Amino acid sequence: MAGKADPLNASPLKMRPVEAPFLVALNLTRRCNQACKHCYLDAGTRQDGTEGELSTDECKALIGDIASLGGETMIVLTGGEPLLRPDLDELARHAADMELMVVIGSNGMALDAKRVRRLKKAGVSGIGISLDSLDPAYHDAFRGVPGAWAHTMNAIDACRAEGLAYQLHFSVTDDNAHELESMIDFARRSEALVLNVFFLVCTGRGETVTNISAQVYDNVLRRVTLAAHQEPELLIRAKCAPHFKRMAIELDPEWPITLAQGYEAGGCLAGSRYCRVTPLGEVTACPYIEDSVGSIRNQSFAEIWQSAPMFQQLRAPSPKGRCGECEYRKLCGGCRARPLARDGELMGEDFLCDYTPKGEAVIEPMKAIGDTLNWTREAEERFARIPPFLRRMIRGRAEDYVRGEGRGVVTADDLSQMAKRRFGAALPVRPNNGETP
C-alpha cells in the first residue's frame, strides 16, 4: 500500500475493556485447488502453499491463546482451501477440545461423505461452502476450474446426508445479482442453515474484478434485507455490507436488528469482535484489510487483540465524510476496508453507499429484549450445545413459539418440536466426543 496513510501509526486511543472476539478466521494456507477471480488472498500454489506458513504447533498455540480470552469464540478454519492442509483434522480437534466453536470454510472440491465424517469426528460443527451461481458454467468460470460446480453440489449432498450443518456463501456481482431469489430458494430447499450474501471488496485478485456497481449493490442489499425479514426459517445475512442495518430499520423499526446481534444481523465487526490471521501469522482486522497489526510470532494473539491501535480505532470509530455525518453511524458505520483499499483512509467515507444523511440525531442501537421467558434446565442444557452463531436466532424463535402457545416456560420438548419442523430430526448441536447427540 505504498503512498497510503498508515493506520498502524495512528495515536493509540484510551484503552477500554475488550470483549473476546466473536469470530476469528484462520487463513491456514494459500494452497488452493481453484483459481477464483475474486480471491482476496490471491491463493494458489497447490502443492506447497507459501514458504513460512504457520506450523501445526504454532496453530495450536494460537488456538490456545484465542481460547484464553474466554467468551464463545467461533474459529473459522479457511484458506486458500483448508482441506488441502494435512493437519486440518488435528487442528479442528484441538480447537474443539479448547471448547471453541469450529467451522470450516471450503469451496467443496475435496469434500465427500468420508471427509465429512472425519470432520465431524474431529469436532467440526459446520461447513461454509462457496456457491457463486446455480449455472454450472458461470460458477466454473468464476472459480477457474471446470467441474467445480459439480464438486460443490456433491459437497452439499454429503453434508446433508451425514448431518453436518452447512451454510452457503454467495459472492454477488453485477453478473450474478439476478440469481439472488433463486439462490435463496435453493438454500431453503437444500436445507442450508444460513445463506451468506457477500459483497466484494477489491483486494487481492479481486482488484482485477469489476466490483459491484453502487446501483446493483443498493438494489441487491434491499432485496436481501426484505428476504431476511420475511424468511421464517433460513437465516439470510449480508456480508461486507453494513448498510443492511439502515435498510433493516427503514423496513421495520421494530425488527430487532441490534449491534448485539451484529454478526447474525449483517453488521461489520472488523477489529471489534472479529479479525483474521494470515497463513504467515499476521493479524488483520478482516480479510479485506491487508494491513497487519502484529504477528503472532512476535506477540501473543491476546495482546494484539486487546491493544492494537487499529483495533482501538475500529472500536471507537470517527468516520469522515457522509459516514461521519450519518444518523446511522452507530448502527452501520460503513465498510472500513473499501476506503482503506482505495484511498488509504481507514475512516474514509464508504463510497459504495449512496445514502444522504438527513442531519437527524444519531440513532442509538436498540437494547436486547429483556422480557425473556423462563427455560427448564433440560431446555437450557440442550440450548447450550447449539452452535453459538445460531443461538440468538433459535432462542428468539423458541420464545416466540412458546408465547404463541400462551405459555411462559420453554421446554426441551418445544425445541424438539421446532427441530422437527425445520430439520426433520434434531437441532444442530456441537459434536460431543466425536459423536452427534
Side-chain angles (χ1 to χ4, degrees), residues 293-313:
V293 299
S295 170
I296 62 127
R297 284 173 165 158
N298 299 324
Q299 298 173 272
S300 71
F301 175 86
E303 181 182 358
I304 295 170
W305 174 255
Q306 292 168 341
S307 62
M310 179 191 282
F311 288 5
Q312 294 181 52
Q313 281 187 285

Side-chain angles (χ1 to χ4, degrees), residues 325-330 355 358-364:
E325 300 168 357
C326 187
E327 57 269 26
Y328 291 96
R329 62 179 175 268
K330 286 189 176 181
Y355 180 74
K358 299 178 180 178
E360 298 176 354
V362 175
I363 300 172
E364 296 292 332

Side-chain angles (χ1 to χ4, degrees), residues 30-342:
R30 282 184 179 270
R31 302 176 198 177
C32 195
N33 45 15
Q34 292 187 343
C36 303
K37 296 178 180 179
H38 63 292
C39 181
Y40 63 79
L41 198 62
D42 196 17
T45 58
R46 177 176 179 178
Q47 296 301 318
D48 302 315
T50 299
E51 183 178 356
E53 289 182 353
L54 294 176
S55 68
T56 301
D57 288 343
E58 286 177 313
C59 287
K60 286 185 174 181
L62 167 61
I63 290 168
D65 203 15
I66 294 170
S68 72
L69 291 170
E72 295 181 335
T73 300
M74 177 166 34
I75 297 287
V76 179
L77 302 178
T78 184
E81 175 48 53
L83 292 176
L84 297 181
R85 181 149 172 157
D87 59 357
L88 179 63
D89 293 4
E90 183 179 354
L91 296 178
R93 168 50 60 195
H94 183 72
D97 287 345
M98 302 295 290
E99 298 188 346
L100 297 171
M101 171 75 176
V102 186
V103 175
I104 304 295
S106 174
N107 58 39
M109 290 282 289
L111 197 59
D112 56 18
K114 181 178 179 180
R115 194 71 176 91
V116 169
R117 288 193 293 270
R118 283 175 51 190
L119 292 173
K120 284 184 64 177
K121 187 175 181 179
V124 171
S125 294
I127 302 279
I129 301 175
S130 298
L131 178 63
D132 299 308
S133 177
L134 298 177
D135 175 2
Y138 179 90
H139 179 87
D140 290 358
F142 199 63
R143 292 274 154 181
V145 177
W149 188 89
H151 284 292
T152 298
M153 291 296 112
N154 290 337
I156 292 170
D157 290 342
C159 288
R160 185 168 52 193
E162 298 300 325
L164 182 60
Y166 68 94
Q167 50 188 287
L168 297 180
H169 297 171
F170 174 48
S171 294
V172 65
T173 69
D174 283 353
D175 297 325
N176 65 357
H178 65 281
E179 292 195 61
L180 176 62
E181 281 74 21
S182 297
M183 191 65 70
I184 292 171
D185 182 62
F186 175 80
R188 186 189 301 114
R189 288 186 292 105
S190 65
E191 301 177 2
L193 291 180
V194 182
L195 173 64
N196 285 324
V197 181
F198 283 83
F199 292 81
L200 297 177
V201 179
C202 289
T203 58
R205 279 203 298 271
E207 290 181 340
T208 66
V209 177
T210 302
N211 200 6
I212 191 169
S213 65
Q215 181 179 2
V216 173
Y217 175 94
D218 186 84
N219 177 265
V220 172
L221 190 54
R222 288 189 184 280
R223 287 155 57 196
V224 169
T225 305
L226 182 62
H229 186 263
Q230 294 178 337
E231 176 58 45
E233 300 294 347
L234 176 68
L235 183 59
I236 301 173
R237 301 187 295 206
K239 294 298 180 181
C240 304
H243 321 110
F244 174 91
K245 296 281 192 175
R246 168 176 57 82
M247 294 182 181
I249 297 299
E250 290 174 341
L251 177 64
D252 180 0
E254 301 302 317
W255 189 11
I257 299 298
T258 71
L259 286 184
Q261 291 179 308
Y263 186 67
E264 293 91 337
C268 178
L269 300 183
S272 60
R273 297 300 305 280
Y274 166 58
C275 69
R276 68 99 178 231
V277 182
T278 73
L280 301 182
E282 302 296 328
V283 181
T284 76
C286 83
Y288 297 117
I289 292 180
E290 298 173 309
D291 294 21
S292 171
V293 299
S295 170
I296 62 127
R297 284 173 165 158
N298 299 324
Q299 298 173 272
S300 71
F301 175 86
E303 181 182 358
I304 295 170
W305 174 255
Q306 292 168 341
S307 62
M310 179 191 282
F311 288 5
Q312 294 181 52
Q313 281 187 285
L314 291 167
R315 291 164 189 161
S318 299
K320 300 176 182 177
R322 287 179 298 130
C323 289
E325 300 168 357
C326 187
E327 57 269 26
Y328 291 96
R329 62 179 175 268
K330 286 189 176 181
L331 291 175
C332 168
C335 175
R336 299 295 98 222
R338 288 193 184 95
L340 181 62
R342 191 186 74 172

